[in-house]
Amino acid sequence: KKARSNVCCFERGNCITTVSVTEARANLYKLVDDASMSPEPVVITGKCWSVVLLAKDAWNTSIKPY
């Protein structure tokens, strides 16, 4: 069973997967495995906040050196 629940796509074709914190907690290992094999972020949403889960390789290519 995949841990990811909702996928939102935007005009430019970018898609972002969102998961509630409850679902993320219940499926954490699968969610991490899925995220580690994809360059796309997963947004984990709570009642008052959101965080992004991103594979380390994707993070390394997205940050710019100072």
Side-chain angles (χ1 to χ4, degrees):
K1 177 182 173 186
K2 277 199 146 193
R4 298 176 180 189
S5 62
N6 298 313
V7 177
C8 300
C9 295
F10 302 97
E11 287 179 24
R12 297 178 306 196
N14 295 339
C15 296
I16 297 175
T17 301
T18 60
V19 177
S20 73
V21 69
T22 301
E23 186 177 358
R25 185 183 310 119
N27 298 293
L28 184 60
Y29 291 110
K30 180 65 174 153
L31 189 63
V32 170
D33 283 344
D34 290 349
S36 71
M37 295 184 279
S38 172
E40 300 301 322
V42 175
V43 177
I44 302 171
T45 58
K47 289 182 181 179
C48 300
W49 49 263
S50 295
V51 297
V52 176
L53 178 64
L54 184 65
K56 186 177 178 188
D57 289 342
W59 168 260
N60 288 338
T61 60
S62 69
I63 60 173
K64 295 181 174 85
Y66 295 99

